[in-house]
Amino acid sequence: MEWANDGKSEGGVLAHLERLEIQVKRSRKNVEDPQRAQAVESALGTKIHKLRCLRDELRAEVKQHQARVKASTVNVEPDQTLEISEEEVAERRKENVKAILQAYRFTGLSGKLTSRGVCVCISTAFEGNLLDSYFIDLVIQKPLRIHHHSIPVFIPLEEISAKYLQTNIQHFLFCLCEYLNAYAGRKYQADRLQSDFAAFLAGPLRRNSLCNLLSFTYKVEPRGQSFPFCARLLYKDLTTALPTDVTVTYQGKRKYCTFCSHD
């Protein structure tokens, strides 16, 4: 009975000690957490103070730099500043045109720098046949202007220049190439028709200077009989080498038949 009582007594003491240890640990934790939080807060406060000092130093340096820039611009005359900026703009435009010519070297565009700016040569072609070439001499200044050119008078050069020369030199050259290549292609086809198929033509080939309106009479002779036809080709789009409207009229003795083709 004494051993049993002793065991119960010892078990009760151990349990009590465990409870006391748990309470001590909890009390220590409650004491340590505020201390730890206070230490973290102190460290963050120190870091914030350092960052604020660095911010103030940077602000002071920025103000000093702005003051130096303002003082240097005041000492420069306005006319001198404007002159330098215009020279830089002209040089950039010249470099831009030079880069465009290098990029378009294999598409019929070539050119060389001159004392005034750049001279551009536009070579036309149709179905692999090299045709006429045209040049345009540009003065690189503000604003850009055309000094000399060999563009035919019926090509709307003034209209193209008004739209693109001052705003997009690349599109200006591209648009001019379209018009010249289309004109060269129409003229080439009309020349070939007149030279290679002269035996089938009844009379001369009629065309205007832009070659966007062609009319001719040709004859078909199956089984010894002659059938004359009159053809009229209209090119409404001046940037293409193919007709938009085709009219063929049979000119027989007793009746007239018209066949039309449109886009």
Side-chain angles (χ1 to χ4, degrees):
M1 294 295 295
E2 291 180 358
W3 284 103
N5 290 333
D6 291 342
K8 288 182 180 179
S9 177
E10 291 176 0
V13 172
L14 292 175
H16 183 66
L17 288 175
E18 288 180 359
R19 287 194 296 270
L20 289 177
E21 287 179 357
I22 293 173
Q23 292 178 0
V24 169
K25 288 181 180 179
R26 288 179 179 175
S27 62
R28 285 180 180 176
K29 186 176 181 181
N30 293 332
V31 173
E32 289 176 356
D33 286 346
Q35 293 178 352
R36 186 178 301 172
Q38 185 177 2
V40 172
E41 183 178 357
S42 177
L44 289 175
T46 303
K47 189 173 183 179
I48 290 172
H49 178 70
K50 291 181 179 180
L51 290 175
R52 285 177 177 173
C53 293
L54 181 61
R55 179 200 61 188
D56 295 338
E57 292 177 1
L58 292 174
R59 283 180 176 175
E61 291 181 3
V62 169
K63 290 182 179 179
Q64 293 176 1
H65 179 71
Q66 290 176 345
R68 288 195 298 267
V69 171
K70 185 176 181 180
S72 61
T73 54
V74 170
N75 296 330
V76 178
E77 297 181 358
D79 295 340
Q80 184 179 357
T81 305
L82 181 62
E83 182 180 355
I84 294 174
S85 62
E86 287 183 353
E87 290 179 358
E88 290 178 352
V89 170
E91 187 64 26
R92 290 177 182 176
R93 286 188 174 184
K94 186 178 291 186
E95 291 297 326
N96 186 28
V97 172
K98 185 177 179 181
I100 291 173
L101 293 177
Q102 290 177 350
Y104 281 84
R105 186 173 53 177
F106 300 104
T107 62
L109 272 176
S110 60
K112 62 178 181 179
L113 297 177
T114 64
S115 58
R116 294 179 297 270
V118 61
C119 183
V120 181
C121 178
I122 302 175
S123 300
T124 60
F126 180 76
E127 293 185 349
N129 298 286
L130 296 178
L131 303 176
D132 297 330
S133 297
Y134 306 90
F135 78 89
I136 181 168
D137 192 0
L138 297 175
V139 178
I140 306 297
Q141 64 180 20
K142 191 176 181 181
L144 287 173
R145 63 184 180 88
I146 299 173
H147 184 62
H148 289 301
H149 69 85
S150 63
I151 309 300
V153 294
F154 41 78
I155 299 296
L157 179 60
E158 293 185 1
E159 180 183 347
I160 300 172
S161 301
K163 286 183 178 180
Y164 307 114
L165 183 58
Q166 304 302 327
T167 57
N168 193 333
I169 183 65
Q170 184 175 356
H171 195 71
F172 166 75
L173 294 175
F174 175 76
C175 188
L176 196 56
C177 283
E178 272 194 322
Y179 275 92
L180 290 173
N181 270 294
Y183 160 69
R186 295 193 300 268
K187 182 176 179 296
Y188 173 80
Q189 293 177 88
D191 292 341
R192 290 293 303 271
L193 176 63
Q194 194 167 12
S195 61
D196 296 353
F197 299 94
F200 297 96
L201 297 178
L205 172 69
R206 294 176 295 276
R207 55 181 168 177
N208 59 355
S209 57
L210 195 53
C211 290
N212 69 323
L213 179 59
L214 306 178
S215 61
F216 55 92
T217 301
Y218 65 98
K219 53 188 177 180
V220 179
E221 299 179 349
R223 300 178 182 179
Q225 295 181 355
S226 179
F227 296 93
F229 291 90
C230 182
R232 183 179 181 270
L233 281 64
L234 178 63
Y235 302 78
K236 292 181 180 179
D237 187 357
L238 299 182
T239 61
T240 62
L242 296 177
T244 53
D245 292 344
V246 178
T247 302
V248 179
T249 303
Y250 170 63
Q251 295 180 332
K253 293 182 179 180
R254 297 182 179 179
K255 59 181 179 179
Y256 297 84
C257 298
T258 302
F259 306 92
C260 301
S261 175
H262 306 279
D263 272 351

